[in-house]
Amino acid sequence: MDAHTRSHRATSTTCATLTNVAFTETQEQILDAAMQIIVRDGLEETSMRAVAEEAEVSLGLLGYHFEGKENLIVSAFQRAASRLMEITQELLDAAGDDPQARIQAGLRSFFDDELSDVDHLQIWLAMWAVARTNEDVALAEQDLYERHAEVLRDAIRRSDTSLPEEIVRQRTTDVIALQNGLWLNWTR
């Protein structure tokens, strides 16, 4: 594969970091279709052929942008995670420097209307399931967790500078567990 072709492919499955993931318009169209199939039919029924049909692109074009089903699924997760972090950052920016407002913004990011949609939550369930058996998805999910946790830890630290670091970490874990638990409950 030449350098030109590699530059048009989605992020390699070996690159699990979610920072600055950018997709072309065609890749976005394909990822939308992949997510629709994952939600509607489940991960097992998500095939390259099904995604190509749903996206109304040729199988060859799909293969040009995504090396295979695994790369497609990792990319879909990266896209969803990037969107979560974008929403979080937008809310944090709007909150300004007030520590209490920043904590509320960090909490609200997980409950944004876009992210609280049942279809969107089902994508996360599918991705969490894949993370159990796919190292690239697991690394991507861990990266997202760490970045989101750091945003919350920073806000908690700023709200009460007398808190020991261990308490800050415990409170952060509690908040994330609550958020994830609510997401799981809402998908039932």
Side-chain angles (χ1 to χ4, degrees):
M1 177 182 328
D2 64 19
H4 176 75
T5 302
R6 280 192 303 272
S7 71
H8 283 83
R9 290 224 171 178
T11 305
S12 167
T13 57
T14 59
C15 179
T17 301
L18 302 173
T19 307
N20 299 327
V21 176
F23 297 104
T24 67
E25 187 176 321
T26 300
Q27 289 170 333
E28 294 276 349
Q29 176 183 341
I30 291 167
L31 292 172
D32 284 343
M35 288 192 216
Q36 288 172 6
I37 292 171
I38 290 168
V39 169
R40 183 185 66 224
D41 303 332
L43 203 52
E44 290 300 316
E45 299 301 316
T46 304
S47 67
M48 295 293 277
R49 184 170 307 284
V51 171
E53 288 174 11
E54 184 80 22
E56 297 179 352
V57 299
S58 70
L59 196 54
L61 182 62
L62 176 60
Y64 177 76
H65 287 289
F66 299 95
E67 295 175 10
K69 179 179 173 178
E70 183 175 296
N71 180 252
L72 180 64
I73 289 169
V74 170
S75 296
F77 184 76
Q78 288 173 324
R79 181 173 176 240
S82 290
R83 183 65 188 134
L84 171 64
M85 291 309 296
E86 284 172 22
I87 289 170
T88 300
Q89 192 59 54
E90 290 167 7
L91 291 170
L92 287 171
D93 290 347
D97 291 331
D98 177 40
Q100 296 294 332
R102 291 183 69 77
I103 289 174
Q104 290 175 350
L107 294 171
R108 287 186 179 134
S109 66
F110 266 62
F111 303 108
D112 180 84
D113 288 342
E114 177 183 336
L115 300 178
S116 297
D117 176 74
V118 172
D119 288 344
H120 183 85
L121 295 175
Q122 288 178 349
I123 291 166
W124 286 100
L125 287 177
M127 295 310 154
W128 285 335
V130 171
R132 293 176 50 90
T133 59
N134 180 297
E135 184 179 344
D136 292 320
V137 173
L139 289 171
E141 194 277 331
Q142 183 64 34
D143 178 63
L144 171 66
Y145 177 89
E146 289 301 325
R147 289 189 309 128
H148 189 70
E150 184 53 40
V151 166
L152 292 174
R153 277 193 297 270
D154 182 58
I156 292 168
R157 267 188 220 107
R158 288 182 184 194
S159 71
D160 186 348
T161 57
S162 69
L163 288 176
E165 188 61 24
E166 182 59 29
I167 299 297
V168 170
R169 289 189 174 283
Q170 288 173 358
R171 288 186 180 171
T172 302
T173 300
D174 293 345
V175 167
I176 292 172
L178 175 64
Q179 290 171 333
N180 288 341
L182 287 170
W183 270 15
L184 289 170
N185 188 49
W186 290 341
T187 60
R188 296 185 302 147

